[in-house]
Amino acid sequence: MEEGQVVRLNATLSSVPFYEALGFSVKDQVQEIYGISFVPMEKKLKKDLY
C-alpha cells in the first residue's frame, strides 16, 4: 500500500493543542533554538486528498 504525504511543522508550546485538534501528532521532545521553544509535529495526509 502506498502511503500519502506528510506535513511536518515546529509548533510553539502554546499551539500544540490547536495542532493536535487538527490531527497532528507530537514526534519529538520540546526543543529550543535561539531561545525559542518548539515541539516537532506531523500529520500524514490521505492519498486521495491530493
Side-chain angles (χ1 to χ4, degrees), residues 21-50:
L22 294 176
F24 285 81
S25 57
V26 174
K27 286 301 170 193
D28 205 349
Q29 302 175 45
V30 174
Q31 299 180 25
E32 185 177 319
I33 296 179
Y34 302 117
I36 300 171
S37 298
F38 63 91
V39 178
M41 301 185 80
E42 76 176 25
K43 179 177 182 178
K44 293 181 182 174
L45 301 178
K46 294 182 181 178
K47 181 71 174 155
D48 60 347
L49 292 179
Y50 55 91

Side-chain angles (χ1 to χ4, degrees), residues 13-25:
L13 301 180
S14 61
S15 66
V16 169
F18 170 77
Y19 286 111
E20 287 178 325
L22 294 176
F24 285 81
S25 57

